[in-house]
Amino acid sequence: MKEFDYYIFIDYSKNLIGYSIIENKKLKELLPKVSKFAHYNELKHKSSYLHSIKKIINKNKVFEFFTRFKIREMRQNIEIYSDVLAFLKQHDNCVIFVSVDNHEYPNFKKLVKITDGNKTVVKRESELKKGTPEYQISLVLDTILNIERLKKNEN
């Protein structure tokens, strides 16, 4: 497995979009703490899963592992893109892995091509292999987006 300096994940859930950025060494520390995370759409008991995962997120202080983490409404996706592109520009001496939701992939790939050289690898979320560190960490953002989406629907 090729190692990167940073891992960036961009995902969306209905009307929300978010990103998370994690440093390589923090990714390795976080992996055992998120081993129970699963892909939300594949679950039968979604509500009970989210309830138990919220406890794991708080107990393990999951947000502290991320360099940056942000969730916005889908109409604010340009803010998400600009944050990530600014991060890529600030860290132009680093090798960076970016996983983007399939829906957002074509547009984001074009933006990265314009602003970045060959040090950033952009992958579709569907290209992540189950069981890999990248896949497991991508589930953190996926789960948190679903928690936030359902919280907004309750209000």
Side-chain angles (χ1 to χ4, degrees):
M1 175 181 101
K2 181 177 179 178
E3 292 205 359
F4 297 89
D5 298 315
Y6 289 94
Y7 294 81
I8 302 173
F9 300 92
I10 301 172
D11 199 1
Y12 85 103
S13 176
K14 305 274 190 228
N15 60 340
L16 295 176
I17 185 168
Y19 74 88
S20 61
I21 301 175
I22 189 166
E23 202 174 343
N24 186 5
K25 67 179 182 183
K26 293 281 189 178
L27 179 134
K28 291 174 182 175
E29 293 173 27
L30 181 59
L31 277 172
K33 297 175 186 299
V34 296
S35 61
K36 291 188 169 102
F37 281 59
H39 201 279
Y40 183 78
N41 291 335
E42 297 172 0
L43 298 168
K44 289 183 182 177
H45 306 289
K46 292 175 171 41
S47 179
S48 57
Y49 165 76
L50 291 179
H51 182 71
S52 66
I53 285 298
K54 272 201 254 185
K55 290 179 183 175
I56 291 172
I57 289 169
N58 292 331
K59 178 183 159 208
N60 292 330
K61 299 177 181 171
V62 168
F63 288 106
E64 292 180 11
F65 288 88
F66 291 98
T67 305
R68 295 190 188 165
F69 195 99
K70 187 183 278 187
I71 294 176
R72 294 287 183 258
E73 290 183 6
M74 192 62 176
R75 61 186 171 81
Q76 296 171 304
N77 67 346
I78 197 71
E79 181 181 344
I80 298 296
Y81 286 171
S82 62
D83 284 0
V84 171
L85 293 173
F87 184 87
L88 293 176
K89 189 173 182 174
Q90 289 171 349
H91 296 82
D92 62 350
N93 60 337
C94 297
V95 181
I96 299 175
F97 174 89
V98 181
S99 168
V100 183
D101 187 276
N102 294 356
H103 177 73
E104 299 292 318
Y105 178 81
N107 295 326
F108 189 78
K109 180 82 171 161
K110 287 177 195 171
L111 286 173
V112 169
K113 199 174 206 177
I114 292 168
T115 60
D116 185 53
N118 298 328
K119 293 186 176 183
T120 302
V121 174
V122 181
K123 296 270 189 178
R124 283 183 164 90
E125 185 181 34
S126 62
E127 292 178 296
L128 299 179
K129 291 186 174 75
K130 220 174 196 173
T132 62
E134 294 88 358
Y135 179 82
Q136 199 60 36
I137 297 298
S138 76
L139 295 176
V140 175
L141 178 59
D142 178 72
T143 301
I144 294 170
L145 279 168
N146 283 299
I147 290 169
E148 288 297 315
R149 179 179 55 83
L150 293 173
K151 192 186 316 178
K152 283 186 182 256
N153 288 345
E154 288 173 1
N155 296 335

